[in-house]
Amino acid sequence: MKFVIQRDDLVQSVQDVMKAVTSRTTIPILTGIKIIATEDGVTLTGSDSDISIESFIPAEEDGSEIVEIQETGGIVLQAKFFSEIVKKLPKDTVEIEVLNHFQTVIRSGKAEFNLNGLDPEEYPHLPQIEEGNGIKVSTDLLKTMIRQTVFAVSTSETRPILTGVNCQIENGELSCIATDSHRLAMRKAPIETNHDASYNIVIPGKSLNELNKILDDTDEPVEIVITENQVLFKAKHLLFFSRLLEGNYPDTSRLIPSDTKTELTLTTKEFLQAIDRASLLAREGRNNVVKLSTLDAGMIEISSNTPEIGKVIEQVQSQSVEGEELKISFSAKYMMDALKAIEGTEIYVNFTGAMRPFVLKPLHDDSILQLILPVRTY
Amino acid sequence: MKFVIQRDDLVQSVQDVMKAVTSRTTIPILTGIKIIATEDGVTLTGSDSDISIESFIPAEEDGSEIVEIQETGGIVLQAKFFSEIVKKLPKDTVEIEVLNHFQTVIRSGKAEFNLNGLDPEEYPHLPQIEEGNGIKVSTDLLKTMIRQTVFAVSTSETRPILTGVNCQIENGELSCIATDSHRLAMRKAPIETNHDASYNIVIPGKSLNELNKILDDTDEPVEIVITENQVLFKAKHLLFFSRLLEGNYPDTSRLIPSDTKTELTLTTKEFLQAIDRASLLAREGRNNVVKLSTLDAGMIEISSNTPEIGKVIEQVQSQSVEGEELKISFSAKYMMDALKAIEGTEIYVNFTGAMRPFVLKPLHDDSILQLILPVRTY
């Protein structure tokens, strides 16, 4: 293998595939990046066996040459060193050449690195996924849907299925749901499917977090291909594979209350900042709990009390309060997570009693829903 | 105590004094910030007993009111909570009032915090330092001198005196020296002293690092007042106290070679980047060692070799090489620290043999000197 490549393109690709590489792997070759040079260009692969990322650098794009392939072939290089090296090379172009015994030379200007490589044949094969029946979603929408739900996955391995986001595709609608059993986040959006696709899968939260980092902010489409135990996201020059979680995701639809006792409309930012302040002293107490009480004239009161440190009380003017009086306690962290996920300057909150789950939505928008279980305080 | 204060001024002052506060203290009250309100303004104090920082917020500055003092007095508030609270207050002004039993109310807009405070009388007194015989140094110069030397202090407590920077004032010259016995950094500058001052003190490196963070980049003077066991840096509205290290600092002047065997002149940036690249593979080996060899025609070669990972070789064109041929090994980290500390686009390096300390200086500038001991390689 021998080629000369534009350094900036190489650096970007290496950064992308590095997101899948971990030093904590039981398969030593996975600490490396696989580099394959063909006549068409160079493909880099990184993997931790849960997530695999493949980045393709075309030999030529938009009429300008990015890679000059002198000899096709492949190598696996230690990701940690290779990524540091390419970032610090002195010139705009880099020559990479594999000699005998997987010895690899990286040349740029007057600097020459010799790295001990590994046999690319030893690198695990990526899952083979049949193409052609993918679902297309705009990158922006996909990133927003991930951001609005993934924070609510469980971080505990007690119920592994809850560490993933449940994605359902049915009747031309994609819905994403995450819950850690104390709160739930849901986002729906219509998508274009050119067939009667119906899927119900659970994607690890960790995979979606990495995917979100790696995807550019663009309205270009991402193609999603789903198989038995893998999902593939295809963006321009980028393939992102993740394994799926096995098992049945709980039916969450019955958790969402349909009745109502107290309805509030609030300015999102003002409410978020008041919760944030109240949580400053609550953070130290058990569960980071703050209290919300309705007062007269549409005012609500946010408070928290940690006797050893102090207490905080703040009044927030609501846009409207309807229904019964209410005193309720909840986790400030869950509330702030939910408020940050909701787009829109005004939010609608529906309480069904001090001991029952309550729901937050943007005003006049049912595509996103955040549900939080209150905390009992005595 | 009761006053109303501009939030931004309070936030800035709290941030400054926080630099002295640590949660790892054996004196519980030092986890707090002392607040004293007089007719003239508000004084905040933070201390870890090695470093103490006092920040003064005047009641009025440049004709505009910053603090409205309604009742003089004092309080000590938990630094961690107080600093978080003031940053997140909703309005531009803050009211702080001490009630009975050191209960303190912080009000801003419709938010009201109650914090349990402590008796300011219990707070340790700052050292009393006689004023009037201080030395004036411009803030910029002081910060530069700290930056150019403090990195070379020892991090080991084996010889505590080496964890400080030796500052000598004599004949109108300030010189700062730091060494960890493997390398040495020295910087001299003429200063204005209005008396025949002569000092030889050792200031803890940690104190100087904090001082450097807290001082603004300005050419306003800092006044330095030195006593038996304390040094005080006085800037506008800011007092920074540090204890001094006890003991005799070693005489370092005889370490600096006066002879020469090989002299190099190099472009600082090019040389630094080559060392940085060579260190990428050296970092993993013992001591992060790179090798420098003189070649023909003014070329020098920088290399490192870690058999398990690989090797790197790079040639750098020097401006000039004079004297004997040379092969020498040294710590890449020490070399990079020294090169970063040196101002100037070209450096002069004076070697006195492969096993003897060598010296780096900016070309045609003797005010700064960096000395490094080579590493034996077999």
PDB file of all heavy atoms in Angstrom, chain B residues 62-83:
ATOM      1  N   ASP B  62     -15.426  55.887  39.583  1.00  0.00           N
ATOM      2  CA  ASP B  62     -15.617  56.712  38.390  1.00  0.00           C
ATOM      3  C   ASP B  62     -16.998  57.375  38.392  1.00  0.00           C
ATOM      4  O   ASP B  62     -17.664  57.463  37.347  1.00  0.00           O
ATOM      5  CB  ASP B  62     -15.447  55.861  37.113  1.00  0.00           C
ATOM      6  CG  ASP B  62     -14.083  55.200  37.058  1.00  0.00           C
ATOM      7  OD1 ASP B  62     -13.136  55.765  37.650  1.00  0.00           O
ATOM      8  OD2 ASP B  62     -13.973  54.127  36.443  1.00  0.00           O
ATOM      9  N   GLY B  63     -17.438  57.810  39.562  1.00  0.00           N
ATOM     10  CA  GLY B  63     -18.697  58.550  39.656  1.00  0.00           C
ATOM     11  C   GLY B  63     -19.957  57.707  39.650  1.00  0.00           C
ATOM     12  O   GLY B  63     -21.060  58.232  39.808  1.00  0.00           O
ATOM     13  N   SER B  64     -19.840  56.382  39.447  1.00  0.00           N
ATOM     14  CA  SER B  64     -21.071  55.587  39.476  1.00  0.00           C
ATOM     15  C   SER B  64     -21.076  54.676  40.712  1.00  0.00           C
ATOM     16  O   SER B  64     -20.042  54.187  41.155  1.00  0.00           O
ATOM     17  CB  SER B  64     -21.236  54.771  38.194  1.00  0.00           C
ATOM     18  OG  SER B  64     -20.208  53.833  38.108  1.00  0.00           O
ATOM     19  N   GLU B  65     -22.270  54.462  41.263  1.00  0.00           N
ATOM     20  CA  GLU B  65     -22.396  53.705  42.501  1.00  0.00           C
ATOM     21  C   GLU B  65     -22.353  52.205  42.211  1.00  0.00           C
ATOM     22  O   GLU B  65     -23.069  51.704  41.347  1.00  0.00           O
ATOM     23  CB  GLU B  65     -23.719  54.054  43.175  1.00  0.00           C
ATOM     24  CG  GLU B  65     -23.881  53.378  44.529  1.00  0.00           C
ATOM     25  CD  GLU B  65     -25.178  53.786  45.211  1.00  0.00           C
ATOM     26  OE1 GLU B  65     -26.252  53.544  44.618  1.00  0.00           O
ATOM     27  OE2 GLU B  65     -25.123  54.338  46.330  1.00  0.00           O
ATOM     28  N   ILE B  66     -21.487  51.487  42.906  1.00  0.00           N
ATOM     29  CA  ILE B  66     -21.404  50.034  42.733  1.00  0.00           C
ATOM     30  C   ILE B  66     -22.074  49.331  43.909  1.00  0.00           C
ATOM     31  O   ILE B  66     -22.755  48.325  43.733  1.00  0.00           O
ATOM     32  CB  ILE B  66     -19.926  49.586  42.609  1.00  0.00           C
ATOM     33  CG1 ILE B  66     -19.278  50.269  41.396  1.00  0.00           C
ATOM     34  CG2 ILE B  66     -19.825  48.073  42.460  1.00  0.00           C
ATOM     35  CD1 ILE B  66     -17.788  50.037  41.288  1.00  0.00           C
ATOM     36  N   VAL B  67     -21.867  49.876  45.121  1.00  0.00           N
ATOM     37  CA  VAL B  67     -22.484  49.286  46.312  1.00  0.00           C
ATOM     38  C   VAL B  67     -23.243  50.372  47.062  1.00  0.00           C
ATOM     39  O   VAL B  67     -22.731  51.476  47.249  1.00  0.00           O
ATOM     40  CB  VAL B  67     -21.426  48.702  47.288  1.00  0.00           C
ATOM     41  CG1 VAL B  67     -22.101  47.785  48.305  1.00  0.00           C
ATOM     42  CG2 VAL B  67     -20.322  47.971  46.559  1.00  0.00           C
ATOM     43  N   GLU B  68     -24.461  50.038  47.467  1.00  0.00           N
ATOM     44  CA  GLU B  68     -25.183  50.924  48.371  1.00  0.00           C
ATOM     45  C   GLU B  68     -25.171  50.254  49.744  1.00  0.00           C
ATOM     46  O   GLU B  68     -25.871  49.273  49.976  1.00  0.00           O
ATOM     47  CB  GLU B  68     -26.624  51.105  47.867  1.00  0.00           C
ATOM     48  CG  GLU B  68     -27.430  52.109  48.667  1.00  0.00           C
ATOM     49  CD  GLU B  68     -28.931  51.924  48.404  1.00  0.00           C
ATOM     50  OE1 GLU B  68     -29.286  51.503  47.279  1.00  0.00           O
ATOM     51  OE2 GLU B  68     -29.722  52.161  49.332  1.00  0.00           O
ATOM     52  N   ILE B  69     -24.347  50.782  50.634  1.00  0.00           N
ATOM     53  CA  ILE B  69     -24.212  50.202  51.970  1.00  0.00           C
ATOM     54  C   ILE B  69     -25.380  50.699  52.826  1.00  0.00           C
ATOM     55  O   ILE B  69     -25.562  51.906  53.000  1.00  0.00           O
ATOM     56  CB  ILE B  69     -22.887  50.632  52.634  1.00  0.00           C
ATOM     57  CG1 ILE B  69     -21.689  50.336  51.739  1.00  0.00           C
ATOM     58  CG2 ILE B  69     -22.733  50.003  54.027  1.00  0.00           C
ATOM     59  CD1 ILE B  69     -21.264  48.911  51.677  1.00  0.00           C
ATOM     60  N   GLN B  70     -26.170  49.774  53.355  1.00  0.00           N
ATOM     61  CA  GLN B  70     -27.281  50.181  54.209  1.00  0.00           C
ATOM     62  C   GLN B  70     -26.955  49.921  55.676  1.00  0.00           C
ATOM     63  O   GLN B  70     -27.478  50.580  56.550  1.00  0.00           O
ATOM     64  CB  GLN B  70     -28.564  49.468  53.770  1.00  0.00           C
ATOM     65  CG  GLN B  70     -28.985  49.939  52.369  1.00  0.00           C
ATOM     66  CD  GLN B  70     -30.112  49.138  51.768  1.00  0.00           C
ATOM     67  OE1 GLN B  70     -30.560  48.154  52.345  1.00  0.00           O
ATOM     68  NE2 GLN B  70     -30.568  49.562  50.593  1.00  0.00           N
ATOM     69  N   GLU B  71     -26.084  48.943  55.908  1.00  0.00           N
ATOM     70  CA  GLU B  71     -25.660  48.670  57.280  1.00  0.00           C
ATOM     71  C   GLU B  71     -24.305  47.975  57.208  1.00  0.00           C
ATOM     72  O   GLU B  71     -24.169  46.980  56.490  1.00  0.00           O
ATOM     73  CB  GLU B  71     -26.687  47.765  57.964  1.00  0.00           C
ATOM     74  CG  GLU B  71     -26.581  47.738  59.474  1.00  0.00           C
ATOM     75  CD  GLU B  71     -27.550  46.707  60.059  1.00  0.00           C
ATOM     76  OE1 GLU B  71     -28.649  46.498  59.500  1.00  0.00           O
ATOM     77  OE2 GLU B  71     -27.175  46.084  61.067  1.00  0.00           O
ATOM     78  N   THR B  72     -23.314  48.493  57.912  1.00  0.00           N
ATOM     79  CA  THR B  72     -21.989  47.870  57.873  1.00  0.00           C
ATOM     80  C   THR B  72     -22.014  46.578  58.685  1.00  0.00           C
ATOM     81  O   THR B  72     -22.936  46.317  59.448  1.00  0.00           O
ATOM     82  CB  THR B  72     -20.910  48.824  58.431  1.00  0.00           C
ATOM     83  OG1 THR B  72     -21.268  49.122  59.786  1.00  0.00           O
ATOM     84  CG2 THR B  72     -20.813  50.091  57.620  1.00  0.00           C
ATOM     85  N   GLY B  73     -21.004  45.748  58.496  1.00  0.00           N
ATOM     86  CA  GLY B  73     -20.942  44.476  59.230  1.00  0.00           C
ATOM     87  C   GLY B  73     -20.199  43.439  58.422  1.00  0.00           C
ATOM     88  O   GLY B  73     -19.517  43.779  57.441  1.00  0.00           O
ATOM     89  N   GLY B  74     -20.324  42.186  58.832  1.00  0.00           N
ATOM     90  CA  GLY B  74     -19.595  41.134  58.122  1.00  0.00           C
ATOM     91  C   GLY B  74     -20.224  39.770  58.298  1.00  0.00           C
ATOM     92  O   GLY B  74     -21.103  39.572  59.139  1.00  0.00           O
ATOM     93  N   ILE B  75     -19.762  38.812  57.473  1.00  0.00           N
ATOM     94  CA  ILE B  75     -20.272  37.438  57.509  1.00  0.00           C
ATOM     95  C   ILE B  75     -19.281  36.552  56.767  1.00  0.00           C
ATOM     96  O   ILE B  75     -18.492  37.039  55.956  1.00  0.00           O
ATOM     97  CB  ILE B  75     -21.687  37.339  56.859  1.00  0.00           C
ATOM     98  CG1 ILE B  75     -22.362  35.988  57.115  1.00  0.00           C
ATOM     99  CG2 ILE B  75     -21.611  37.587  55.356  1.00  0.00           C
ATOM    100  CD1 ILE B  75     -22.842  35.810  58.534  1.00  0.00           C
ATOM    101  N   VAL B  76     -19.308  35.269  57.065  1.00  0.00           N
ATOM    102  CA  VAL B  76     -18.551  34.290  56.262  1.00  0.00           C
ATOM    103  C   VAL B  76     -19.561  33.334  55.644  1.00  0.00           C
ATOM    104  O   VAL B  76     -20.376  32.736  56.359  1.00  0.00           O
ATOM    105  CB  VAL B  76     -17.537  33.510  57.120  1.00  0.00           C
ATOM    106  CG1 VAL B  76     -16.865  32.416  56.288  1.00  0.00           C
ATOM    107  CG2 VAL B  76     -16.489  34.452  57.696  1.00  0.00           C
ATOM    108  N   LEU B  77     -19.551  33.212  54.297  1.00  0.00           N
ATOM    109  CA  LEU B  77     -20.495  32.331  53.606  1.00  0.00           C
ATOM    110  C   LEU B  77     -19.741  31.214  52.895  1.00  0.00           C
ATOM    111  O   LEU B  77     -18.644  31.435  52.372  1.00  0.00           O
ATOM    112  CB  LEU B  77     -21.315  33.130  52.587  1.00  0.00           C
ATOM    113  CG  LEU B  77     -22.232  34.211  53.161  1.00  0.00           C
ATOM    114  CD1 LEU B  77     -22.923  34.964  52.023  1.00  0.00           C
ATOM    115  CD2 LEU B  77     -23.275  33.612  54.103  1.00  0.00           C
ATOM    116  N   GLN B  78     -20.329  30.028  52.847  1.00  0.00           N
ATOM    117  CA  GLN B  78     -19.742  28.890  52.145  1.00  0.00           C
ATOM    118  C   GLN B  78     -19.375  29.282  50.712  1.00  0.00           C
ATOM    119  O   GLN B  78     -20.247  29.596  49.901  1.00  0.00           O
ATOM    120  CB  GLN B  78     -20.730  27.720  52.106  1.00  0.00           C
ATOM    121  CG  GLN B  78     -20.800  26.929  53.396  1.00  0.00           C
ATOM    122  CD  GLN B  78     -19.440  26.390  53.794  1.00  0.00           C
ATOM    123  OE1 GLN B  78     -18.823  25.657  53.036  1.00  0.00           O
ATOM    124  NE2 GLN B  78     -18.940  26.786  54.955  1.00  0.00           N
ATOM    125  N   ALA B  79     -18.093  29.207  50.390  1.00  0.00           N
ATOM    126  CA  ALA B  79     -17.612  29.694  49.100  1.00  0.00           C
ATOM    127  C   ALA B  79     -18.259  28.960  47.932  1.00  0.00           C
ATOM    128  O   ALA B  79     -18.658  29.554  46.932  1.00  0.00           O
ATOM    129  CB  ALA B  79     -16.093  29.549  49.028  1.00  0.00           C
ATOM    130  N   LYS B  80     -18.380  27.647  48.060  1.00  0.00           N
ATOM    131  CA  LYS B  80     -18.895  26.827  46.967  1.00  0.00           C
ATOM    132  C   LYS B  80     -20.317  27.256  46.575  1.00  0.00           C
ATOM    133  O   LYS B  80     -20.615  27.434  45.391  1.00  0.00           O
ATOM    134  CB  LYS B  80     -18.891  25.374  47.452  1.00  0.00           C
ATOM    135  CG  LYS B  80     -19.153  24.346  46.407  1.00  0.00           C
ATOM    136  CD  LYS B  80     -18.976  22.965  47.029  1.00  0.00           C
ATOM    137  CE  LYS B  80     -20.159  22.099  46.754  1.00  0.00           C
ATOM    138  NZ  LYS B  80     -20.203  20.944  47.669  1.00  0.00           N
ATOM    139  N   PHE B  81     -21.166  27.445  47.576  1.00  0.00           N
ATOM    140  CA  PHE B  81     -22.554  27.810  47.271  1.00  0.00           C
ATOM    141  C   PHE B  81     -22.669  29.277  46.883  1.00  0.00           C
ATOM    142  O   PHE B  81     -23.341  29.628  45.917  1.00  0.00           O
ATOM    143  CB  PHE B  81     -23.454  27.502  48.468  1.00  0.00           C
ATOM    144  CG  PHE B  81     -23.490  26.048  48.783  1.00  0.00           C
ATOM    145  CD1 PHE B  81     -22.862  25.549  49.899  1.00  0.00           C
ATOM    146  CD2 PHE B  81     -24.113  25.162  47.917  1.00  0.00           C
ATOM    147  CE1 PHE B  81     -22.862  24.189  50.169  1.00  0.00           C
ATOM    148  CE2 PHE B  81     -24.112  23.807  48.178  1.00  0.00           C
ATOM    149  CZ  PHE B  81     -23.489  23.319  49.306  1.00  0.00           C
ATOM    150  N   PHE B  82     -21.981  30.127  47.660  1.00  0.00           N
ATOM    151  CA  PHE B  82     -22.084  31.560  47.410  1.00  0.00           C
ATOM    152  C   PHE B  82     -21.637  31.890  45.986  1.00  0.00           C
ATOM    153  O   PHE B  82     -22.286  32.652  45.273  1.00  0.00           O
ATOM    154  CB  PHE B  82     -21.251  32.318  48.449  1.00  0.00           C
ATOM    155  CG  PHE B  82     -21.349  33.813  48.332  1.00  0.00           C
ATOM    156  CD1 PHE B  82     -22.583  34.449  48.428  1.00  0.00           C
ATOM    157  CD2 PHE B  82     -20.217  34.588  48.128  1.00  0.00           C
ATOM    158  CE1 PHE B  82     -22.680  35.842  48.329  1.00  0.00           C
ATOM    159  CE2 PHE B  82     -20.312  35.972  48.030  1.00  0.00           C
ATOM    160  CZ  PHE B  82     -21.540  36.595  48.124  1.00  0.00           C
ATOM    161  N   SER B  83     -20.540  31.266  45.530  1.00  0.00           N
ATOM    162  CA  SER B  83     -20.025  31.592  44.197  1.00  0.00           C
ATOM    163  C   SER B  83     -20.979  31.106  43.101  1.00  0.00           C
ATOM    164  O   SER B  83     -21.187  31.786  42.099  1.00  0.00           O
ATOM    165  CB  SER B  83     -18.634  30.992  44.000  1.00  0.00           C
ATOM    166  OG  SER B  83     -18.689  29.589  44.040  1.00  0.00           O
TER     167      SER B  83
END
